[in-house]
Amino acid sequence: MTGPNTLLPGRRRAVTLRGRPELYTEYGADQALLNTPAKRRFAAVLLLVLVVVPFFLDRDLNGLLTRVFITSIGAIGLNLVTGYAGQVSLGHAFFLGLGAFTAAFLGNEPTGSLRGLGLEMWAWLPLSGLVAAAVGAMVAPLAARVRGLYLAILTLGLVFVGDHIFKEMRTFTGGPGIGRRAAAPIVGGLDLYRRQTILGVEIAGDVLYYFLCLILLLVLGVAARNLARSKTGRSFAAVRDRDIAAEVMGVPLVRTKVVAFTISSFYAGICGALLAVMYGTIVPENFGLLLSVDFLAMILIGGVATISGSIVGAAFVVLMPRLVQSLTDVLPFISRGGGGGALLSVDQLQGILFGALIVGFLVLEPRGLYGLWLRVRNYWKAWPFSY
Amino acid sequence: MDDLLTVLIRGLAQGSFYALVAAGFVVIYRATDVVNFAQPALMVMGAYFTALFRHNYDLPFWLAVLAAIAVVAMIGAVSERVALRPMVGQPPFSAAMVTVGLFLVLTIVANRLIGSNVISVGDPWGLETAVFAGNVRMRVADGWGIGLTIVAFAAVGLFLTRSRVGLAMRATSLDQEVALAQGVNVGRMFGLSWAMAGGLAGLAGMVYGSGGTGVDPTSAFVALKALPVIILGGLDSLKGAYIGGLVIGVAEAFTRANAASLSGVVGANVDVVVPYLIMLIVLMVRPYGLFGTPEVQRV
């Protein structure tokens, strides 16, 4: 457990330098993911809460939290390519769809005109990520030819072309408006979305799936964080900050971009496959441009080029509808239904808030919620001598 | 042959609509180096206000169109002042994302105003079709669309090349700081560009909704095809926007006309993605488009 890849700083330091939490004597300790006692304590408490909480929550709140975990995986993927490597991608929804439909193809038994292989989750989940990654790797060399806004427009085109492909490959996707059932998360004959008795304890399906997604998020999140501080991650940052300078310094430009796209697509594929389970039935229309915009909003609101920011942003975007809904009881001018006499319906208010938040964060705090947190933290760190 | 011409005219009309939306993109991009993703939403607004003035206030059609153009131009200018002006000096991607946020907000507002039904803009042409030169059919609305687009492009072109303000706008697009030093009110030029783009979008909304098509909030996604157009024509070229629009429109019309024979190979409704396929190819081969300025990378 040496070098920058350790999660926790070395034990020796903790003993000898008690009371001096920010004095690092080793590179490894400085680079550790949880490099201060406060971070370690906070992470432990958060993990404990997340393990306990599903047993006390309603089914729908559990589902909401699970959705947060799943979208976080997708947001981390987008943040790797857009935040860390600086390659703006509006094509994330396409890779999500790719993962979802690959999972549905691999995980379902063939029915009628729909093809299927009837595999279990341990096969379809990684494969859906890998298929998305493979397609990402194929598209990336093309995307590596253009930069900035041109790339954004190119990936936008990708979404529309992908949408067409999803709609036309009816034997795989069921076609527009009809769709197909998502793959069931069955591992070793155990359906993780149904009530199961494990070791004599009866556990509800939503709780099981909650833990599955939480574990996946932890693994993929830590992996992404480690990637970001590895040689690959530093080359991402170099390409983002100045691609020509990076190339001059010996960072292979095309290869770095291809790697970024491939890994990002892998995350998107996994996210899509898991999300499909929550949707129940998936149609090609699920994976349109607006989904891509949602994910971009997550990383913009949460914080560009931060893993924790991606998670916070995903939580924010997923939980906001619920918050807005509970606002309807307080604010008289918002109606629950579609039309109504009120000024705005819930959906409309939510959409407007969403757009306004993107604009607001970009204008006022480009580092997102993570940046806000940094401000708060730095204020209290030096309190009462803050300035 | 007659069928071919009929399809060609249909394509030119559709292309004219794309060109009008694309012109808005180009005007804003030239002035502020921002790709304005909110342009399609402004287009829907244009159609809505045309319909509003025509039906609710009973204005004559042309007056309704002019009023709608004025209102959408104002929406454009206000959006620029509120959302885009603080983004001056920020990376172009941030500004582009701000316009995406604007797009969301405007689409919701349009949703609220229009609802889920299709509104007609109240044009006097309706479903009328003219037949000429043997058996070539043309919708009257298409003819007006093609003609109005030419007039609009000519007006914008003349304004930019001949008027003092147009000169100031071109100076701004060339170099903002130098223009500022020469006494050009750069901020006002930004606002003016957005107002012009809004006006063009307003007109585009009318053109799209005329001829019995009608407009609903999802029409914004059709107008997004102006993105392939500006990529094909070049982000900063008005001429490119016009020619690119026509090329994309005609390509789409011909694919649609041959959809039956194509569907076995590439599936039905392939005409919807043809613009994007063209765009992908252009981005691979010539990213700055037919008439755009090649991007110069400084080391």
Side-chain angles (χ1 to χ4, degrees):
Chain A
M1 289 281 278
T2 51
N5 282 328
T6 39
L7 189 65
L8 297 166
R11 188 161 293 280
R12 193 156 40 89
R13 191 199 59 81
V15 176
T16 50
L17 294 170
R18 191 174 293 281
R20 305 274 311 269
E22 301 212 2
L23 177 70
Y24 300 112
T25 52
E26 285 170 37
Y27 182 63
D30 185 42
Q31 286 291 302
L33 291 185
L34 304 169
N35 55 359
T36 62
K39 276 186 196 171
R40 283 195 288 281
R41 268 177 237 133
F42 182 71
V45 170
L46 188 69
L47 204 59
L48 194 70
V49 168
L50 285 178
V51 168
V52 174
V53 94
F55 295 102
F56 298 98
L57 284 181
D58 291 342
R59 195 184 161 81
D60 63 327
L61 284 178
N62 265 345
L64 218 54
L65 278 179
T66 314
R67 202 171 276 213
V68 169
F69 300 152
I70 298 171
T71 42
S72 296
I73 295 173
I76 290 172
L78 184 63
N79 222 339
L80 281 176
V81 73
T82 298
Y84 285 97
Q87 308 299 308
V88 179
S89 170
L90 278 167
H92 214 53
F94 168 62
F95 294 109
L96 249 82
L98 213 54
F101 284 118
T102 308
F105 163 67
L106 294 171
N108 278 325
E109 299 289 341
T111 47
S113 65
L114 288 175
R115 289 185 208 174
L117 295 182
L119 297 174
E120 286 201 345
M121 188 181 203
W122 53 262
W124 64 247
L125 187 64
L127 274 175
S128 55
L130 288 174
V131 167
V135 174
M138 281 194 293
V139 175
L142 306 179
R145 287 175 58 94
V146 289
R147 323 184 298 148
L149 284 173
Y150 286 96
L151 180 62
I153 296 174
L154 183 138
T155 49
L156 181 135
L158 193 64
V159 172
F160 282 96
V161 175
D163 188 54
H164 177 71
I165 294 173
F166 290 150
K167 280 178 177 162
E168 292 308 319
M169 291 179 73
R170 283 158 206 269
T171 48
F172 289 96
T173 65
I178 306 163
R180 72 183 295 177
R181 205 156 48 88
I186 298 173
V187 181
L190 224 61
D191 190 338
L192 295 181
Y193 211 46
R194 294 243 171 80
R195 178 172 287 274
Q196 299 288 354
T197 313
I198 295 171
L199 302 172
V201 186
E202 213 172 298
I203 302 178
D206 54 317
V207 178
L208 276 175
Y209 197 59
Y210 172 100
F211 279 114
L212 175 76
C213 294
L214 177 60
I215 291 168
L216 281 171
L217 171 61
L218 282 176
V219 171
L220 290 172
V222 171
R225 187 72 198 276
N226 275 334
L227 181 81
R229 58 191 184 137
S230 69
K231 183 183 170 193
T232 316
R234 285 192 296 274
S235 64
F236 283 1
V239 168
R240 172 193 61 199
D241 293 340
R242 198 84 182 90
D243 50 356
I244 297 172
E247 202 172 16
V248 169
M249 287 190 298
V251 175
L253 209 52
V254 174
R255 200 173 76 200
T256 307
K257 288 181 182 178
V258 170
V259 167
F261 264 104
T262 309
I263 297 172
S264 157
S265 310
F266 178 80
Y267 276 71
I270 298 279
C271 168
L274 292 172
L275 205 57
V277 176
M278 309 256 351
Y279 284 163
T281 306
I282 42 171
V283 290
E285 285 86 348
N286 284 144
F287 305 100
L289 182 60
L290 288 180
L291 188 66
S292 286
V293 174
D294 275 358
F295 273 93
L296 266 183
M298 282 174 206
I299 66 169
L300 288 176
I301 291 174
V304 172
T306 57
I307 298 299
S308 42
S310 325
I311 298 172
V312 174
F316 190 85
V317 169
V318 173
L319 297 179
M320 194 177 69
R322 177 58 69 97
L323 286 176
V324 173
Q325 219 151 53
S326 39
L327 271 183
T328 50
D329 303 331
V330 192
L331 300 174
F333 59 88
I334 302 161
S335 74
R336 251 169 209 283
L343 191 64
L344 288 167
S345 77
V346 171
D347 288 351
Q348 289 161 353
L349 178 68
Q350 197 186 304
I352 287 183
L353 261 181
F354 197 53
L357 278 170
I358 296 177
V359 176
F361 268 111
L362 280 170
V363 172
L364 300 174
E365 178 50 283
R367 289 177 302 174
L369 285 171
Y370 184 78
L372 281 184
W373 157 244
L374 282 186
R375 282 196 209 178
V376 172
R377 191 185 73 184
N378 291 344
Y379 179 86
W380 287 109
K381 228 176 177 178
W383 190 85
F385 303 110
S386 5
Y387 56 92
Chain B
M1 187 63 200
D2 290 345
D3 283 350
L4 206 66
L5 277 177
T6 306
V7 172
L8 181 70
I9 292 174
R10 185 74 201 92
L12 288 176
Q14 188 71 16
S16 295
F17 162 69
Y18 294 152
L20 273 181
V21 182
F25 276 101
V26 170
V27 166
I28 289 180
Y29 184 80
R30 281 168 58 115
T32 60
D33 284 342
V34 172
V35 172
N36 173 24
F37 286 99
Q39 195 70 15
L42 288 175
M43 184 281 285
V44 175
M45 287 296 200
Y48 168 74
F49 280 109
T50 313
L52 183 81
F53 290 129
R54 181 85 187 90
H55 298 309
N56 291 23
Y57 295 96
D58 241 356
L59 292 182
F61 179 64
W62 292 112
L63 216 56
V65 173
L66 287 178
I69 289 176
V71 170
V72 180
M74 220 159 70
I75 296 176
V78 170
S79 315
E80 194 277 331
R81 190 69 195 85
V82 175
L84 268 297
R85 194 68 63 82
M87 300 308 291
V88 170
Q90 302 283 339
F93 163 66
S94 304
M97 268 321 281
V98 167
T99 66
V100 171
L102 205 59
F103 171 78
L104 291 176
V105 174
L106 286 175
T107 313
I108 301 287
V109 174
N111 250 317
R112 178 68 200 162
L113 294 173
I114 299 177
S116 51
N117 36 352
V118 178
I119 55 164
S120 88
V121 292
D123 55 300
W125 312 302
L127 295 167
E128 268 177 67
T129 307
V131 182
F132 59 91
N135 202 16
V136 180
R137 280 171 322 221
M138 178 182 81
R139 299 195 312 171
V140 177
D142 283 356
W144 278 100
I146 295 172
L148 282 174
T149 305
I150 294 174
V151 172
F153 267 88
V156 172
L158 280 178
F159 175 73
L160 284 178
T161 47
R162 295 293 157 83
S163 73
R164 248 182 105 76
V165 183
L167 183 67
M169 280 177 84
R170 281 187 294 144
T172 308
S173 70
L174 216 58
D175 191 319
Q176 293 172 4
E177 279 175 23
V178 173
L180 204 60
Q182 301 295 321
V184 174
N185 188 339
V186 171
R188 190 178 295 160
M189 292 307 128
F190 288 173
L192 198 60
S193 307
W194 273 75
M196 268 171 73
L200 286 164
L203 184 65
M206 188 279 282
V207 169
Y208 180 82
S210 66
T213 315
V215 171
D216 63 72
T218 55
S219 304
F221 286 97
V222 180
L224 261 188
K225 283 184 197 149
L227 281 174
V229 170
I230 54 169
I231 292 296
L232 175 62
L235 271 179
D236 55 357
S237 162
L238 267 180
K239 184 171 72 174
Y242 188 66
I243 294 173
L246 295 189
V247 170
I248 296 276
V250 169
E252 201 184 11
F254 275 107
T255 357
R256 187 179 301 135
N258 296 311
S261 50
L262 286 171
S263 69
V265 194
V266 285
N269 299 324
V270 73
D271 54 289
V272 181
V273 287
V274 160
Y276 293 103
L277 290 174
I278 295 176
M279 176 181 90
L280 291 181
I281 294 167
V282 172
L283 279 172
M284 290 305 98
V285 181
R286 199 180 157 93
Y288 45 89
L290 295 175
F291 303 103
T293 319
E295 193 182 5
V296 180
Q297 286 194 32
R298 284 178 213 281
V299 180

